[in-house]
Amino acid sequence: LRTPMYFFISNLAILDLVGISSVLPKMLENLILDKNIISFEGCVAQLYTFTFSGSTELILLTVMSYDRYLAICQPLHYVTMMSKGTCISLMAGVWGIGTVNSLINTLLVAQLDFCGPKLVQNFLCEVPPVLALSCSSTYLSEIMVYMADIILGMGNFLLVILSYCVIITTILKIQGSAGKWKAFSTCSSHLAVVGLFYSTIIYTYIQPTGTPLEKKNKMVSIIYTLVTPTLNPMIYSLRNKVIKEAFWKL
């Protein structure tokens, strides 16, 4: 469990905990007490924490795909290229970029004026539904959101796709089905998590046009707020032989 892959998986688990902890306690409180109230300070804190975990996870999944690329396509150089120092430097960059992105977007939202209806059309505070409530100009905030979507969203998605195109090409060149399966199994869990995480983005674009925006936002938010963090540990746990053996005994 001291290999780079599990080092990155542990960081993914921490990000999932941070994201879920920023949303679920308040959501459960409102459900139990039958209310739908959150303070402005609490909303801003939730917005910052959730935006941080989401943007950081986008970059982390790209780093993990790069790790799988080195392991499969450059196996003889993997140990030196993915040393302990390299892994720590990569994670420092990942957490740093996520922090800066979240801080900028949160500060821009926090300085807006909110004088109209203050009903957030979601069960958590995210940038788009909060911006919709502002009675001041949100132009700068919207520009920053679009830039983050393009750079962090589309940019990382394209890098992941590129990595797996090279990985699949390399796997197909391996002689023997056993060797191909062994190589593919090392990245199958990560590929499943990537598909699950990015499918929520694609999901927003395949909704019927007649679906109300509020319903669409809530349905998508449930997937990447509750479903994805719950399935991530299960997906990676199934790679562990000890857990699988215990499961089959049960």
Side-chain angles (χ1 to χ4, degrees), residues 135-206:
C135 53
S136 57
S137 175
T138 60
Y139 178 76
L140 186 57
S141 292
E142 290 176 359
I143 291 297
M144 291 305 300
V145 170
Y146 289 139
M147 288 180 62
D149 288 344
I150 294 171
I151 297 173
L152 296 181
M154 294 179 61
N156 283 289
F157 181 70
L158 291 175
L159 288 173
V160 171
I161 293 297
L162 179 62
S163 297
Y164 274 101
C165 285
V166 178
I167 289 173
I168 292 173
T169 302
T170 303
I171 291 177
L172 292 176
K173 294 179 181 178
I174 298 176
Q175 299 295 326
S177 58
K180 290 180 180 179
W181 174 250
K182 183 178 180 181
F184 181 76
S185 65
T186 63
C187 57
S188 58
S189 296
H190 175 252
L191 192 58
V193 170
V194 168
L196 187 64
F197 190 75
Y198 278 101
S199 62
T200 57
I201 300 174
I202 300 173
Y203 179 78
T204 61
Y205 293 99
I206 63 174

Side-chain angles (χ1 to χ4, degrees), residues 87-107:
C87 292
I88 294 174
S89 298
L90 285 172
M91 282 314 308
V94 168
W95 286 74
I97 295 172
T99 301
V100 172
N101 171 69
S102 180
L103 185 62
I104 292 174
N105 282 285
T106 304
L107 290 176

